[in-house]
Amino acid sequence: MVERILEAAHEVLLVEGHDAASTNRIARRAGISPGSLYQYFDGKEAIVDAVVARYSDDLAARVAAAFTTNLGARGETVAHDSVAALLAALEADAEMLRVVTEQLPLAHHRERLVALRDQVTQLVATYLAAQRPTRAVEPETAAWLLVRTVEQLTVRYVLDAPSIAREVFVSELTHLVLAHLEPRRT
Amino acid sequence: MVERILEAAHEVLLVEGHDAASTNRIARRAGISPGSLYQYFDGKEAIVDAVVARYSDDLAARVAAAFTTNLGARGETVAHDSVAALLAALEADAEMLRVVTEQLPLAHHRERLVALRDQVTQLVATYLAAQRPTRAVEPETAAWLLVRTVEQLTVRYVLDAPSIAREVFVSELTHLVLAHLEPRRT
DNA sequence: TCGTGACACGAGCGATCGCTCGCATACCAT
DNA sequence: ATGGTATGCGAGCGATCGCTCGTGTCACGA
């Protein structure tokens, strides 16, 4: 039954949008009574939160899997494959990505997002610190910049569908990451 | 009176947040009657829209001014000063920036934001096309990546206040931009 | 001085919201 | 067969929303 509610809430969010996602509508789509929602969830916020959590966890798992399996490869390969994997993961449910990033006020799930981002940032910082040689810059600083850059660009690429070929985009973003890590030319 | 309403709406958005910003609350803070709102605006959405528009226009003006006055300088200088100017412009009203980026659902002012971003992207693409030499990549592609990168990183820097010194951040972001434009090393 | 029109007022309308609670039902141990 | 319990139901509560409209006020031209 919990599954049924989550499924219905997911569909309502996709089809009707967050602003029109009322508890009664979720219940009707799930084929149950409004009252039954509250036997399994504390309220509307908890329902939406659970849907977002499921999406977020699924996304995190995909990305983490792709990232950790390639850690041993050359830097270029790690960067390229990570970008490609992230792109693929985001494309898996682009509609939900749009709901989360464009309809839900960020403040509603800020904590979850920040935690995830900090976790990834920490992971990348650790990876960078273990790599020799990079430029003389704090790994935390470089990781902070790069994680947010890759996240933002891949998300916008999926949602805005710019007229940039997919392989060009992946290659350019990879280059952006690697170029920033190389020693300065001056 | 229009000014008074906009001012009140601005304050309510900052203090109470978007979710709690009702028309009655805006009217009360403006010291006028709810009915009077509708002699000057079509509805709540129009009021919020006008507040966001004012903020957006002000921001665009600051950035455009800083960017166009430095167009003649060396590439390094243009990049560095543009980043610094954008950072300063965003810091001017950081609270409103937080409201716009974290409380308002992006979909509500998506059109305005996309238009502004596309305009800046076009400007940067034109600038890049006029510069010799850069890597063999479409100026539109490079501009697309760089504009979104700089925007996202400066916004997150202002709102998340990471433990990165300001001059280090500006320098690193500038380096990120320049490194991506330099010829590949291979 | 007086008629008039523009403006501001604010109680309250209709709609919608998240949510509750008394009731019906179905299942199971006794 | 029967009593107890857990569970789903759905009408409707109270609150809040954006918004309206009948009313009062006042500045101003005739």
Side-chain angles (χ1 to χ4, degrees):
Chain A
M1 174 76 87
V2 168
E3 185 55 37
R4 195 144 136 216
I5 294 174
L6 288 179
E7 181 72 19
H10 183 97
E11 291 173 12
V12 169
L13 280 176
L14 291 189
V15 175
E16 318 252 12
H18 170 257
D19 288 352
S22 70
T23 53
N24 287 347
R25 247 185 284 264
I26 293 174
R28 196 176 323 127
R29 179 168 282 258
I32 66 173
S33 144
S36 297
L37 292 181
Y38 299 89
Q39 294 223 333
Y40 302 94
F41 291 95
D42 286 341
K44 180 190 174 177
E45 201 171 338
I47 298 176
V48 175
D49 222 54
V51 173
V52 174
R54 266 221 310 195
Y55 173 75
S56 168
D57 290 348
D58 179 67
L59 198 63
R62 291 169 189 259
V63 174
F67 188 66
T68 54
T69 60
N70 288 329
L71 274 187
R74 292 171 60 244
E76 287 84 350
T77 308
V78 173
H80 181 278
D81 290 359
S82 297
V83 167
L86 177 56
L87 199 59
L90 293 175
E91 281 169 336
D93 192 354
E95 296 181 21
M96 189 62 187
L97 178 64
R98 167 156 277 130
V99 170
V100 171
T101 59
E102 301 192 346
Q103 298 195 359
L104 292 176
L106 178 53
H108 290 183
H109 55 285
R110 191 176 201 280
E111 204 165 338
R112 185 189 315 285
L113 179 68
V114 167
L116 176 60
R117 200 142 59 185
D118 286 350
Q119 200 171 333
V120 175
T121 304
Q122 186 56 44
L123 191 66
V124 172
T126 304
Y127 171 80
L128 288 181
Q131 293 293 333
R132 308 273 81 200
T134 58
R135 285 171 36 241
V137 61
E138 300 287 337
E140 289 80 8
T141 301
W144 191 93
L145 292 180
L146 293 178
V147 166
R148 279 150 190 81
T149 297
V150 172
E151 172 194 335
Q152 168 76 350
L153 291 182
T154 47
V155 168
R156 286 338 309 173
Y157 183 83
V158 169
L159 294 184
D160 296 345
S163 58
I164 303 175
R166 187 194 167 89
E167 60 267 28
V168 171
F169 171 71
V170 174
S171 149
E172 282 298 306
L173 180 48
T174 304
H175 174 262
L176 179 65
V177 171
L178 295 175
H180 181 249
L181 291 174
E182 285 172 357
R184 284 184 195 272
R185 324 189 71 182
T186 46
Chain B
M1 175 76 84
V2 169
E3 185 54 35
R4 196 146 137 214
I5 295 174
L6 289 179
E7 181 72 18
H10 184 97
E11 290 173 13
V12 169
L13 282 175
L14 292 189
V15 176
E16 317 253 13
H18 170 257
D19 288 351
S22 70
T23 53
N24 287 348
R25 247 185 284 263
I26 293 174
R28 197 176 323 125
R29 179 169 281 259
I32 64 172
S33 145
S36 297
L37 291 180
Y38 299 89
Q39 293 224 333
Y40 302 93
F41 291 95
D42 287 342
K44 179 189 176 178
E45 201 172 337
I47 297 177
V48 175
D49 222 54
V51 173
V52 174
R54 265 222 310 194
Y55 173 75
S56 167
D57 290 348
D58 179 66
L59 198 64
R62 290 170 190 261
V63 175
F67 188 66
T68 55
T69 61
N70 287 331
L71 273 187
R74 292 171 60 244
E76 287 84 350
T77 308
V78 173
H80 180 277
D81 291 358
S82 297
V83 167
L86 177 56
L87 200 59
L90 292 175
E91 283 170 334
D93 192 353
E95 297 181 20
M96 188 62 188
L97 178 64
R98 168 155 277 130
V99 170
V100 171
T101 58
E102 301 192 347
Q103 298 196 359
L104 293 176
L106 178 54
H108 290 184
H109 56 284
R110 191 177 200 281
E111 205 165 336
R112 185 189 315 284
L113 180 67
V114 167
L116 176 59
R117 202 142 59 186
D118 286 350
Q119 200 172 330
V120 174
T121 303
Q122 186 55 44
L123 192 66
V124 172
T126 304
Y127 171 80
L128 288 181
Q131 293 294 331
R132 308 274 82 202
T134 59
R135 287 171 35 240
V137 60
E138 300 287 338
E140 289 80 8
T141 301
W144 191 93
L145 292 180
L146 293 179
V147 166
R148 279 150 190 79
T149 297
V150 172
E151 171 194 335
Q152 168 77 349
L153 291 182
T154 48
V155 168
R156 285 341 306 174
Y157 183 83
V158 170
L159 294 185
D160 296 345
S163 58
I164 303 175
R166 188 195 166 89
E167 59 267 30
V168 171
F169 171 72
V170 173
S171 148
E172 282 299 307
L173 180 48
T174 303
H175 175 261
L176 180 64
V177 170
L178 294 175
H180 181 250
L181 291 174
E182 285 172 357
R184 284 184 196 271
R185 323 191 70 181
T186 44

